[in-house]
Amino acid sequence: MVILLVATTSDPASINPANALLAKPGWEPGPHFQEDMKSFVNGGVRVLIHGKSIVVEDDLDKRWEEKTGEVVEEVIFFSKHTAVSNKPALTVHPIGVPHLREGDVPPQGGKPGWAALPSPRMGPWLRHLKKLAQAHNLVPEFEITLEATHHGPLTNKPTMFLEIGSTDDYWKRQDAADVMAQLVWEGLGLGGGADIGNWSRENAKKKVLLGIGGGHYAPRHMDVVLKDDVWVGHLLSGYALPMEDPSQSNTGTNAKEIGGTWRASITAAYEATRSAFPGGEIIAHLDHKSFKSWQKTAITAFLGEKNIKIGKPNDFY
């Protein structure tokens, strides 16, 4: 079992953390994968570097397995983060576009209706990232945050993105790259210590947060996930829950009658989270204030139909 870490030379916020990681001891050239990619190995970790957009190389985990015979356990991507605010940020997030309909063209990879298996490491790594950023004096300049589920590429194993944002100046910041590299070094136990966020080792009776609603940076869900021992799966922001306002049509407010892809989005996110956390109790955490009353009523009813428990913050501690 190996862990695949992917970076691209086309993005300084991707290749700089990868190079900082590869500058640490123990790395050797890895197996030949394909002509336009390089690989490096260190214990059970494989770094794969290509030159394309980070979101377009689909099924790298499956392709690695077919080429090398090594079974991939999880996939981690280094990438840049963009934001309208241009604020500096270090982010962690799951991927997928579960709200898109068949026939829609995803703007940044993936396929309509798909949600990747979310990496169980996200919650523990977010908390560790905050500690590392504080120790390297990147806080408060950089915000340390989760992001909602979005974009590709397609993967088959538990996946997360680690991103540096949000402008060219910050993408090139070496101190930010060093912190992201240190997060992976310590998080995967490459320095000799225990790895961080190992679900198979630490999962006894653990509850997993499935975030529903709110903005892209999931502030209500963040408040919960920053507490020790909280695990997090998919995070569906409001834009990933398209709901057709019943007042604009002849439909009633019954959950079954409200149009939009919100039900499919919740289902895909829940199923992927459940698969990524075997034995875990998946609990929906709603950003109540982000919903209109008819939306909250419909979502609550649908979760009840699916036997998905709804939790308050204290239910996760």
Side-chain angles (χ1 to χ4, degrees):
M1 301 283 274
V2 300
I3 296 168
L4 199 60
L5 198 148
V6 184
T8 173
T9 56
S10 68
D11 171 8
S14 180
I15 192 60
N16 290 351
N19 284 338
L21 182 65
L22 292 171
K24 296 179 182 295
W27 294 99
E28 297 178 356
H32 176 75
F33 180 59
Q34 63 184 56
E35 287 301 328
D36 58 346
M37 298 191 188
K38 293 181 179 179
S39 73
F40 302 87
V41 305
N42 188 342
V45 181
R46 307 290 181 262
V47 169
L48 186 60
I49 298 175
H50 63 75
K52 299 179 182 177
S53 164
I54 201 72
V55 299
V56 301
E57 284 285 0
D58 289 336
D59 298 316
L60 281 172
D61 45 5
K62 184 178 178 182
R63 288 155 57 193
W64 182 270
E65 291 180 342
E66 291 171 350
K67 184 73 174 179
T68 68
E70 295 179 332
V71 176
V72 176
E73 189 174 8
E74 57 188 289
V75 191
I76 301 167
F77 292 85
F78 283 136
S79 177
K80 66 183 176 184
H81 169 66
T82 57
V84 175
S85 69
N86 290 335
K87 290 181 178 177
L90 304 178
T91 81
V92 179
H93 74 85
I95 63 172
V97 283
H99 61 294
L100 295 185
R101 297 178 187 273
E102 190 73 35
D104 288 346
V105 178
Q108 294 178 296
K111 67 179 179 182
W114 164 81
L117 299 181
S119 170
R121 297 189 191 273
M122 290 188 299
W125 279 34
L126 175 77
R127 296 187 290 271
H128 195 62
L129 174 59
K130 189 167 186 177
K131 292 175 185 174
L132 289 173
Q134 288 170 334
H136 288 78
N137 298 314
L138 292 182
V139 176
E141 181 185 13
F142 282 78
E143 182 180 6
I144 314 303
T145 183
L146 290 168
E147 291 182 74
T149 299
H150 67 305
H151 70 61
L154 290 177
T155 59
N156 307 278
K157 301 298 174 73
T159 301
M160 68 174 159
F161 263 63
L162 305 176
E163 301 189 358
I164 300 172
S166 299
T167 65
D168 191 59
D169 287 344
Y170 296 113
W171 298 334
K172 294 176 179 176
R173 281 275 291 265
Q174 191 60 45
D175 51 357
D178 290 342
V179 163
M180 283 305 204
Q182 192 66 25
L183 174 65
V184 172
W185 181 257
E186 295 180 10
L188 297 181
L190 287 168
D195 62 335
I196 296 169
N198 186 321
W199 174 256
S200 63
R201 188 180 64 229
E202 305 171 24
N203 68 351
K205 298 181 180 176
K206 294 290 187 179
K207 298 169 182 176
V208 182
L209 183 148
L210 172 68
I212 298 179
H216 183 70
Y217 297 98
R220 298 284 183 275
H221 310 312
M222 272 279 295
D223 290 344
V224 178
V225 177
L226 284 173
K227 305 284 188 183
D228 287 343
D229 297 324
V230 176
W231 301 83
V232 61
H234 274 292
L235 299 163
L236 297 177
S237 68
Y239 64 75
L241 297 162
M243 304 179 78
E244 296 173 5
D245 188 340
S247 69
Q248 304 299 315
S249 65
N250 294 323
T251 61
T253 56
N254 185 304
K256 291 186 175 67
E257 299 174 344
I258 293 174
T261 58
W262 60 281
R263 285 179 293 261
S265 186
I266 291 173
T267 300
Y270 171 75
E271 294 296 346
T273 300
R274 189 173 68 168
S275 295
F277 291 87
E281 181 183 9
I282 315 302
I283 303 176
H285 182 258
L286 275 59
D287 184 337
H288 290 281
K289 292 183 178 179
S290 71
F291 295 118
K292 295 175 181 177
S293 60
W294 64 268
Q295 292 175 311
K296 185 161 66 174
T297 298
I299 288 171
T300 301
F302 180 70
L303 292 172
E305 290 171 16
K306 301 286 287 186
N307 294 314
I308 302 172
K309 182 179 176 181
I310 299 173
K312 298 177 180 178
N314 287 341
D315 292 328
F316 295 92
Y317 310 146

